[in-house]
Each structure stands twice: as C-alpha cells, then as structure tokens.
Amino acid sequence: MSQKTIRNDFVSEKTALITGASSGIGKSFAEILAKEGYNLILVARRKHKLDALAETLADQFSVETKVIVADLSIIEQITNVVEIIKSLDHINVLVNNAGFGLSSSFAKGDYERQLAMVNVHVVASYMLSRAAVPIMLRKNEGLIINVSSMSGLMIKFGDVTYTTTKAFLITFSESLQEELRNTNINIHALCPGMTYSEFHDTKELEEFDKSTVPKRLWMSSAEVVKKSLKAARKGKVVYVPGFLNHLSLFLSNMFIVRRLSQWIISRNEKKT
Ligand SMILES: NC(=O)c1ccc[n+]([C@@H]2O[C@H](COP(=O)([O-])OP(=O)(O)OC[C@H]3O[C@@H](n4cnc5c(N)ncnc54)[C@H](OP(=O)(O)O)[C@@H]3O)[C@@H](O)[C@H]2O)c1
C-alpha cells in the first residue's frame, strides 16, 4: 500500500472516508460530500484516478483530500486503512463502497477471485466499521453507508459469492443499527439496481450485454448517491433507490419477473 501522509488536523470538522472512490458510485459520493464541505479520505487501488479526483475536489470545493492506495482484498492492506481510521480524531461518514462483480459458478469459478470478493465486500466493510464506530460513539455522531445491491435482497440466483456477500452487508447494517439505536449514528445499506459505472466493464463481466437490461432500469451514479444520502439522513436503514427498482423488488417473487431475471442472467453467464 502506498499512501500520502494522513494528518489528523483537518480544518473542517466534517470528514468522510470512501472506499472505491476512483470510479462510479464511490466517485459520486466523493463529489457530493465534497460539495457539502466534507474533507475526504479516498481509498482504492488506482492511484492516478484518486490523485486526479482529490486534486479536482480540493480545488473546486476548498476541502482537504487525502489519498490511500489500498487493495482491500488483502488483509494487511485493510489493516493499514484501519490504523489510519483509528488515528483520526473524528470520522463523520464512512462509505464502504468498493466492490466488483463475478459471473461464474461457485464450484468452477476462480477461487482466488471469490475469496478476494469476500475480503473486499465483507471483511473490509466489517473491519473499517469496527474501527470507525468507537470514534463515532465518542462524538455520538456518524453515518456508515454499506453499498450492497438489490441482488442481496431479491435475486437469490446469479453469482453465489456476489449475492451472499451483498446480503451480509444488509444484515450487518440492520444488526449494527439495532445495537446503536440509542445513539446518533446511522447505518445505511444502499441497495442499488443497475447503475452506470465501470462495474460492468471488467474482465469478469465482459460477456454481460447491457442491452439485455431495459434502459429505464438504469440510473446514474450521481442519482443513486443523492437519493441514498437523503434516505440515510432520514434514518432509512435498508434502501433501494428508484421507483422501478422498488417495483421490481415488489414483483420479485412473481413468476414472470423471476423468469425474466433468470433469462437475463443465463444470457450473460460466463460458461466456466
Ligand atoms: N453498477 C451497478 O450496477 C451496481 C449495482 C448494485 C451494486 N453495485 C455496487 O456498487 C459498488 C460500487 O460499484 P460501481 O458500480 O461504482 O463500480 P465501479 O465503477 O467499478 O467502482 C468500483 C470501485 O471499487 C474499487 N475496488 C474494486 N476492487 C477493489 C479492491 N480490491 N480494493 C480496493 N478498491 C477496489 C474500484 O477501484 P480500483 O479499481 O481503483 O481499486 C472502484 O473505485 C460496488 O460495491 C458494487 O457491488 C453496483
């Protein structure tokens, strides 16, 4: 892991740490929180993207920005981020957003990538939250957003590792919020549907044909993040952005929607 020096003397009292800030939903969180005046700690692997974003947001919104380059599939590198969180005087917002997709069978898929996914989605979110909550409790204030997916709520087919790691984030958020119910700390599981980002551009999802999903079902990252922050601040714990996503969820147990979803997934399945 390489990192810039993280100082503990942010000028503003508002600090947000965002994982997976180099693109898509995480980048939108960074842009919107910077606009609101938050100092940012941006975490991901691609340093050049983080540096460019950090510089732009610092110039545009006069906030302080720090970059941490870390691969959150590697426990030692998660631990380094944990140590940085523990050294902070305050952390107001933690966004556990880093993630990626897989499209392979549980038995035949790439085992290393499956374990990497468990670390990025589950272990990193767990460890960073465990570091942040005691600091938030000291100030009795904070917000943790765990970026899950509609897949964690409704579609119990598709990639096994993806759906189950995303389901973990939902149960984790609900349980943690329950434990913190008498505090001013909000825990929020964001469950987006189809969102324009780099998510579907990876090698693992290269066979995914976006045109098989109706255009109306897609949302922009910025739209997802604006809705998420609004809902989180109202205390919504599990949140699905977008009316059509709500409708899909409502209809998800109906035969026809299940068949349509299965058809889309089977059309895009990697034959591994
Ligand atoms: N797009 C969708 O349709 C959709 C739907 C539901 C849920 N989601 C969830 O939304 C979250 C954000 O995804 P996105 O749509 O914004 O996709 P994206 O544009 O591909 O962004 C993913 C982010 O995660 C980071 N990341 C991936 N692996 C990492 C690792 N090992 N260590 C550190 N950072 C890592 C990437 O940064 P680097 O490559 O620089 O490390 C990138 O910043 C994910 O958790 C995803 O599961 C997305």
Side-chain angles (χ1 to χ4, degrees):
M1 187 189 79
S2 81
Q3 81 185 57
K4 283 188 176 173
T5 311
I6 303 296
R7 296 203 325 253
N8 202 10
D9 58 350
F10 284 131
V11 175
S12 158
E13 277 305 305
K14 298 199 290 184
T15 300
L17 186 146
I18 302 158
T19 69
S22 58
S23 68
I25 294 172
K27 186 177 178 191
S28 291
F29 268 113
E31 288 165 345
I32 290 168
L33 290 171
K35 197 171 176 187
E36 292 181 3
Y38 282 82
N39 296 315
L40 299 177
I41 303 174
L42 306 173
V43 184
R45 292 166 303 180
R46 288 173 295 175
K47 185 176 184 318
H48 65 288
K49 293 233 173 202
L50 293 178
D51 283 343
L53 181 66
E55 202 178 321
T56 305
L57 296 181
D59 286 351
Q60 208 174 345
F61 301 112
S62 302
V63 293
E64 283 191 55
T65 54
K66 319 284 184 195
V67 164
I68 304 175
V69 179
D71 184 338
L72 298 176
S73 69
I74 300 170
I75 303 293
E76 293 72 29
Q77 298 195 21
I78 305 173
T79 305
N80 289 336
V81 184
V82 162
E83 291 309 318
I84 287 161
I85 291 176
K86 283 183 177 171
S87 75
L88 295 171
D89 169 61
H90 61 274
I91 174 165
N92 306 78
V93 179
L94 167 65
V95 185
N96 289 310
N97 162 77
F100 62 96
L102 288 173
S103 174
S104 53
S105 85
F106 179 71
K108 295 180 190 166
D110 182 338
Y111 180 56
E112 295 301 319
R113 291 298 288 157
Q114 290 167 338
L115 281 183
M117 177 174 277
V118 173
N119 282 348
V120 176
H121 292 179
V122 175
V123 181
S125 304
Y126 184 93
M127 287 175 68
L128 301 194
S129 300
R130 181 64 183 79
V133 168
I135 300 169
M136 290 177 172
L137 278 171
R138 280 206 304 265
K139 306 268 175 185
N140 192 22
E141 192 235 310
L143 169 63
I144 296 179
I145 297 179
N146 294 310
V147 182
S148 175
S149 167
M150 274 179 71
S151 310
L153 276 173
M154 69 181 268
I155 303 173
K156 301 300 179 202
F157 51 84
D159 187 86
V160 170
T161 315
Y162 189 78
T163 57
T164 51
T165 53
K166 290 300 184 181
F168 168 88
L169 289 171
I170 294 165
T171 309
F172 174 57
S173 302
E174 288 176 307
S175 304
L176 184 54
Q177 183 67 90
E178 187 54 26
E179 182 174 308
L180 298 171
R181 66 186 174 283
N182 295 324
T183 72
N184 290 326
I185 301 170
N186 286 352
I187 314 294
H188 177 77
L190 167 62
C191 304
M194 290 295 177
T195 309
Y196 290 115
S197 70
E198 295 178 15
F199 185 83
H200 298 96
D201 302 340
T202 59
K203 197 171 134 272
E204 276 119 348
L205 297 184
E206 67 191 356
E207 287 174 28
F208 184 88
D209 180 0
K210 288 183 187 171
S211 68
T212 55
V213 180
K215 275 209 168 95
R216 280 165 176 261
L217 289 179
W218 290 86
M219 290 174 75
S220 71
S221 295
E223 201 181 352
V224 167
V225 170
K226 277 182 204 151
K227 285 179 183 292
S228 167
L229 283 169
K230 194 170 169 193
R233 286 164 175 160
K234 284 185 183 164
K236 186 92 183 144
V237 182
V238 179
Y239 178 65
V240 177
F243 171 74
L244 286 178
N245 287 334
H246 275 279
L247 192 63
S248 309
L249 194 58
F250 177 72
L251 297 172
S252 68
N253 289 327
M254 290 175 70
F255 180 73
I256 189 154
V257 175
R258 235 164 225 284
R259 289 302 297 267
L260 176 65
S261 305
Q262 274 166 337
W263 178 80
I264 289 171
I265 285 171
S266 66
R267 282 274 312 261
N268 287 294
E269 231 165 26
K270 219 183 211 177
K271 303 283 179 274
T272 52

